[in-house]
């Protein structure tokens, strides 16, 4: 087997109870969760008990998912698997960045809390929705969005035949109908705002100011950026602040990883969304998930 990539789950993958079993089974996961709890009391209760509507609020989702992602990655490392490169989807990029030591855990977690606050504020100021468009090429999706000037944007280039759009709440139904007319289908996502759009620019500016006082380092492992699909260098603050208002180029990231010799992907965090996208992007890759204790047993196959 060639190189191994860890990919960190993003917003929308959350569910009540996530991480509870891993917390009980893995000392490394428990340490990460406990650290998050010490920085933001109530995080464990929200992760482990919900309720779903509370967990779905951006201000709660992001710190909880960060803790889940990082804990799962630490559990995988504890089980003997070390990645050759990293990427994270949207919020997951911050967990990947922390795992790569661009920022230490505490600083990264505090950044996530700030990120969640700023993005939720923008979402309340500019009410929006997001939907996954299926069965259409990216260019078709881009052209449809142009029919709703200033109200709809392609935001996540996920995999062949799947592009996520974000739009103003009031145009969602019309946009979905237009997608249907083009013989596509749009599935509404479990998020509370129109992320990765110009409506998040105010959050990006606030995060850029916040990061001026943050201590960042070059990543200790190759780390791919959502905004560019290129490797991080010394530009963490710029990339992280731009990321919230720019599209996620996930398909391109996975293709670049494959070109670099990655043939095993370990999704760390809640759900299996990224695994499904990877399967649709590259053929023949070995794909693993770390979410529960039983998942750790399967990791022996990663370097087999």
């Amino acid at each position: 087997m060639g190189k191994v990539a860890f990919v960190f789950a993003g917003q929308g993958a959350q569910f009540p109870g996530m991480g509870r079993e891993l917390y009980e089974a893995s000392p490394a996961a428990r340490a990460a969760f406990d650290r998050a709890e010490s920085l933001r009391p109530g995080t464990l209760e929200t992760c482990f008990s919900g309720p779903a509507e509370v967990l779905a609020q951006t201000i709660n989702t992001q710190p909880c998912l960060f803790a889940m992602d990082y804990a799962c990655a630490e559990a995988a490392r504890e089980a003997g698997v070390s990645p050759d490169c990293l990427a994270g989807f949207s919020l997951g990029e911050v967990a990947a960045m922390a795992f790569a030591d661009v920022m230490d855990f505490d600083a990264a977690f505090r950044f996530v809390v700030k990120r969640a606050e700023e993005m939720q504020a923008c979402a309340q100021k500019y009410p929006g929705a997001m939907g996954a468009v299926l069965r259409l090429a990216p260019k078709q999706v881009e052209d449809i969005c142009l029919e709703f000037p200033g109200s709809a944007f392609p935001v996540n280039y996920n995999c062949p035949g799947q592009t996520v759009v974000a739009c103003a709440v009031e145009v969602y139904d019309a946009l979905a109908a237009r997608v249907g007319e083009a013989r596509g289908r749009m599935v509404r996502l479990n998020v509370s705002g129109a992320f990765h759009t110009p409506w998040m620019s105010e959050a990006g500016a606030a995060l850029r100011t916040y990061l001026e006082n943050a201590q960042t380092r070059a990543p200790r492992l190759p780390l791919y950026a959502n905004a560019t699909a290129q490797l991080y260098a010394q530009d963490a603050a710029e990339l992280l602040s731009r990321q919230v208002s720019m599209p996620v180029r996930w398909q391109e990231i996975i293709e670049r990883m494959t070109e670099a010799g990655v043939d095993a992907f370990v999704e760390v965090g809640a759900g299996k969304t990224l695994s499904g996208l990877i399967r649709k992007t590259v053929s023949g890759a070995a794909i693993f998930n770390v979410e529960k204790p039983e998942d750790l047993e399967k990791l022996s196959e990663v370097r087999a």
Side-chain angles (χ1 to χ4, degrees):
M1 191 171 287
K3 294 180 180 179
V4 176
F6 277 12
V7 292
F8 293 69
Q11 197 163 341
Q14 70 276 358
F15 62 90
M18 65 180 187
R20 184 170 49 211
E21 294 177 45
L22 200 62
Y23 180 88
E24 296 170 354
S26 165
R30 187 181 312 117
F33 274 119
D34 286 346
R35 190 63 194 159
E37 177 69 14
S38 73
L39 295 168
R40 182 180 180 272
T43 297
L44 290 187
E45 182 179 357
T46 307
C47 285
F48 298 168
S49 303
E53 58 270 22
V54 172
L55 181 58
Q57 295 171 10
T58 295
I59 200 167
N60 297 320
T61 310
Q62 293 195 16
C64 288
L65 271 177
F66 175 93
M68 177 67 174
D69 282 5
Y70 193 91
C72 291
E74 286 293 336
R77 180 155 59 182
E78 180 184 53
V81 177
S82 296
D84 298 294
C85 59
L86 309 168
F89 194 102
S90 191
L91 177 278
E93 183 171 0
V94 188
M97 179 202 69
F99 194 79
D101 293 334
V102 175
M103 298 171 71
D104 64 34
F105 181 94
D106 289 15
F109 188 83
R110 291 189 182 102
F111 171 75
V112 165
V113 172
K114 175 68 173 175
R115 183 181 188 269
E117 291 171 351
E118 295 294 341
M119 292 178 72
Q120 179 156 310
C122 285
Q124 291 170 343
K125 187 175 181 179
Y126 308 104
M130 296 175 71
V133 176
L134 310 178
R135 300 197 296 262
L136 297 183
K139 182 63 165 62
Q140 291 176 280
V141 177
E142 292 166 356
D143 289 344
I144 290 172
C145 286
L146 289 174
E147 298 175 21
F148 299 82
S151 295
F153 305 90
V155 293
N156 301 341
Y157 293 86
N158 285 350
C159 66
Q162 184 180 133
T163 303
V164 171
V165 298
C167 64
V169 168
E170 62 269 20
V171 306
Y172 184 90
D173 290 343
L175 182 62
R178 182 66 187 87
V179 167
E181 290 171 5
R183 299 193 175 181
R185 183 165 70 93
M186 194 156 91
V187 179
R188 195 155 187 161
L189 301 184
N190 180 29
V191 295
S192 58
F195 304 131
H196 300 287
T197 67
W199 293 313
M200 292 289 136
S201 296
E202 292 172 20
L207 294 175
R208 187 68 182 85
T209 299
Y210 178 86
L211 288 169
E212 287 177 1
N213 297 317
Q215 194 170 44
T216 62
R217 300 173 287 270
R220 66 177 177 83
L221 291 167
L223 171 64
Y224 290 83
N226 284 191
T228 63
Q230 304 286 344
L231 292 172
Y232 269 67
Q234 298 279 3
D235 48 357
E238 175 67 19
L239 289 171
L240 286 174
S241 57
R242 289 171 57 199
Q243 188 231 48
V244 298
S245 58
M246 293 186 67
V248 175
R249 302 191 175 281
W250 190 252
Q251 178 180 336
E252 195 175 346
I253 287 171
I254 298 305
E255 290 171 343
R256 288 185 183 277
M257 284 181 159
T258 303
E259 291 168 1
V262 172
D263 61 6
F265 295 86
V266 180
E267 180 174 2
V268 289
K272 298 181 179 179
T273 299
L274 301 184
S275 298
L277 300 182
I278 293 167
R279 287 190 179 92
K280 294 174 182 176
T281 302
V282 296
S283 60
I287 301 173
F288 304 84
N289 301 87
V290 175
E291 178 185 81
K292 297 179 179 180
E294 54 265 33
D295 298 330
L296 298 173
E297 300 171 8
K298 302 173 185 175
L299 293 181
S300 60
E301 303 172 25
V302 173
R303 296 289 189 184

